[in-house]
Amino acid sequence: MPGMTHLLRTLAPLLAAESKAEAPAAGVDAGDLEQAVWLRLLERLEKDDAPTHPADWLRRAVRAEARRARRAALRERPYQGEEAAEPHDSPESSALVAERRRVVRAAVRRTPGHCPRLLTAMLDPADPTYREIAGELGISQGSLGPMRSRCLGCLRRMLAAEVPASTLRGRVR
């Protein structure tokens, strides 16, 4: 194992330099790229398949990991919601969530007819079933779905009028 330690020590500066050079183009952190290559090397050494020219292998491995990271970046899209961008327990996130709830609850109260009672029942944190909601409102369970659909459509139109769309939808003229 002393030869292995020497190999790893001699490859470390080369790996750091190669990773630092390739990481920006791949859109990953140089340390992540370095870790991935170390893992590949250790997996290879575990199979008793040590590279005959370690420096050349290392350069090729860094480039292969960078290509893999670029391909993954093309396939993966980050979530665009605010909750993903901020920690859930941050004051800003809590304030945004509370404001959204306040706006939705206010809009629910302004909906016509039976909609305020129906939507309030559906927003209940206890998450009641359709049967429980229908019993609470004194309506048949079969009419709950169409009523819910009408009420949600009304609520959606009310909220869409208050909050502008973040992106263009449909045809742009």
Side-chain angles (χ1 to χ4, degrees), residues 17-122:
E18 290 288 328
S19 297
K20 192 172 183 179
E22 291 290 329
V28 295
D29 182 55
D32 292 341
L33 191 56
E34 197 172 334
Q35 288 293 323
V37 174
W38 278 129
L39 182 62
R40 285 184 70 190
L41 178 61
L42 292 174
E43 287 171 344
R44 189 168 178 164
L45 292 174
E46 186 177 89
K47 296 177 187 175
D48 292 328
D49 185 27
T52 53
H53 302 288
D56 293 336
W57 179 89
L58 187 116
R59 288 184 184 100
R60 285 192 310 274
V62 168
R63 286 175 183 80
E65 285 298 326
R67 282 192 305 274
R68 187 174 292 128
R70 277 193 295 271
R71 283 192 307 268
L74 291 173
R75 287 189 309 265
E76 298 170 356
R77 296 285 175 231
Y79 177 69
Q80 297 299 322
E82 295 161 9
E83 290 83 13
E86 301 224 5
H88 291 291
D89 57 348
S90 74
E92 294 87 4
S93 178
S94 299
L96 289 171
V97 168
E99 177 63 16
R100 271 192 227 110
R101 286 185 181 148
R102 188 195 62 73
V103 168
V104 169
R105 297 269 183 199
V108 163
R109 285 191 298 271
R110 293 190 317 267
T111 55
H114 295 290
C115 290
R117 287 181 52 217
L118 172 66
L119 293 172
T120 300
M122 295 191 85

